[in-house]
Amino acid sequence: MTIQYINNPDQLDALCQLISQQPWIALDTEFLREKTYYPKFCLLQIASPDWVACVDPLAISDLTPLLEAIYNPKIVKVLHACRQDLEIFYQITGKIPGPIFDTQIAAPLLGFQENPGYAMLVSSFLNINLNKAHTRTDWSERPLSADQIQYAADDVIYLCKIYTLMCEQLEKLGRLDWLNSDFELLNNSELYQISPENAWLKIRGKNKLTGKQLSIMQALTEWREQTAQEENKPRNWLLQDDFLLELAKLQPITLGELSKIRNMSERTVNRYGKVLCELVATARQRPPKPFSEKERSSKKTQQHEAILDVLSAVVRIRAEENSLNPVILATRKDLEALLFDDEDCLLLQGWRYNMAGRELQGLLQGEFVLSLKPDTVVISKV
């Protein structure tokens, strides 16, 4: 298959015509973000079963016609592990180009492990071992070599073939429609924007901090996220997570105190020292944001463990009925999330909710009961 390398508007218009005629297209992106907060969009690969193209966004200043073609709601966009790819589209337009089909999300319904890598799918479906020669390529460098372009194009060429085979197998199993609500969740814009005020929730070790320390860590993390966004720098270039925790514990309020902290660079003190000290001083005087119920309930009792055992039994039953590995349906952590009312629990979403989550939730709420027979467990409504 000849690869079209698109780097001028005339070629782009012709590609848009091809896209408009397709019921679905495969998409992939190449980007860099080692030195930036936001991904730098370097290459877009697009394919159908009949053609493949690599679009150079660094050479074409106006991608509007292409975006309009891709955002056509009648065309399914096929990707693998699509979150970072969709983040680029969201960064450009503020919207997600649905409808989406993510092969990583679909794969467990065909017996694969949770979140399988793309190389695993290519090997399993096509018996091809991916070439890793350009894994570390700087995709912002121009010109790209023929080998680099082929490497990039191969991802969507294989993705087309995998998608076709996946749909055939899912259709045979009657599971293709199970994925609709999972894919619909990918349109949620909150997945692609990080709120600075909630960035502290991702910091490991926060549960060990005292009240004042937690308040300081929250203030520093919010400042770091906002500053990283404004300056378009990786957040860890400003302050690493373990250093945020150290500052929260030591609570420096003067430049002298700050500069004496081990591994605190002179550059950081000179550039951000004053604001860091002000943040610490202010945060010490206010209560921290509260933990969620999930965080507060992280310590389980023996009664909790017994409940989780019962829920696990139901998961095993429903997984066996549907020829799935129980771990694909729900892990112990997923059941803990359900028990402690975590709204992000996978069992409250998509096919997992329909297969087991609704039932498990009903058991916890007293709407269902379990009874035993010699050879089975019976789940019935109260």
Side-chain angles (χ1 to χ4, degrees), residues 77-227:
K77 274 64 70 171
V78 181
L79 303 99
H80 178 84
C82 67
R83 289 278 290 271
Q84 288 189 312
D85 300 303
L86 295 182
E87 182 184 348
I88 290 175
F89 288 105
Y90 183 81
Q91 180 184 330
I92 296 172
T93 68
K95 297 182 294 183
I96 302 302
I100 302 295
F101 186 103
D102 189 323
T103 54
Q104 186 178 71
I105 292 175
L109 286 182
L110 295 174
F112 289 88
Q113 67 185 43
E114 191 74 9
N115 300 322
Y118 185 60
M120 177 188 291
L121 296 189
V122 173
S123 177
S124 298
F125 280 98
L126 307 177
N127 196 27
I128 294 173
N129 293 320
L130 284 179
N131 178 4
K132 299 181 180 180
H134 297 288
T135 303
R136 298 291 183 182
T137 287
D138 182 346
W139 293 102
S140 67
E141 291 290 326
R142 294 296 183 270
L144 295 174
S145 69
D147 283 347
Q148 289 174 317
I149 294 172
Q150 183 68 60
Y151 173 88
D154 279 346
D155 281 347
V156 284
I157 292 172
Y158 299 147
L159 189 57
C160 285
K161 297 176 181 179
I162 291 172
Y163 173 66
T164 302
L165 294 170
M166 264 193 171
C167 287
E168 290 175 357
Q169 295 180 23
L170 288 167
E171 190 68 47
K172 286 180 181 179
L173 293 170
R175 297 177 179 178
L176 189 57
D177 292 340
W178 290 11
L179 294 160
N180 291 342
S181 55
D182 293 80
F183 294 152
E184 184 63 31
L185 291 171
L186 295 170
N187 292 320
N188 181 3
S189 61
E190 292 181 2
L191 295 175
Y192 313 101
Q193 51 185 331
I194 298 177
S195 171
E197 58 267 25
N198 293 326
W200 68 276
L201 294 169
K202 296 184 179 295
I203 303 296
R204 293 182 180 181
K206 58 184 176 294
N207 305 62
K208 299 178 180 180
L209 299 177
T210 64
K212 285 185 178 181
Q213 293 172 348
L214 181 60
S215 180
I216 293 168
M217 187 275 287
Q218 290 169 342
L220 293 175
T221 307
E222 180 176 349
W223 168 84
R224 182 184 69 168
E225 198 71 26
Q226 186 173 356
T227 304

Side-chain angles (χ1 to χ4, degrees), residues 43-104:
L43 196 69
L44 173 63
Q45 303 97 279
I46 311 174
S48 79
D50 302 316
W51 52 262
V52 60
C54 292
V55 181
D56 187 347
L58 301 181
I60 303 173
S61 59
D62 185 8
L63 293 174
T64 301
L66 176 64
L67 294 171
E68 289 177 352
I70 291 174
Y71 275 75
N72 184 339
K74 295 181 181 179
I75 301 174
V76 175
K77 274 64 70 171
V78 181
L79 303 99
H80 178 84
C82 67
R83 289 278 290 271
Q84 288 189 312
D85 300 303
L86 295 182
E87 182 184 348
I88 290 175
F89 288 105
Y90 183 81
Q91 180 184 330
I92 296 172
T93 68
K95 297 182 294 183
I96 302 302
I100 302 295
F101 186 103
D102 189 323
T103 54
Q104 186 178 71

Side-chain angles (χ1 to χ4, degrees), residues 28-47:
D28 190 28
T29 64
E30 304 296 346
F31 58 88
L32 299 176
R33 77 184 312 168
E34 288 85 355
K35 299 179 180 179
T36 59
Y37 181 92
Y38 297 104
K40 182 179 180 181
F41 188 19
C42 299
L43 196 69
L44 173 63
Q45 303 97 279
I46 311 174

Side-chain angles (χ1 to χ4, degrees), residues 273-292:
K274 184 177 180 181
V275 67
L276 290 175
C277 291
E278 290 174 351
L279 286 168
V280 170
T282 301
R284 287 172 60 176
Q285 307 304 316
R286 66 183 182 216
K289 299 173 185 175
F291 282 107
S292 65

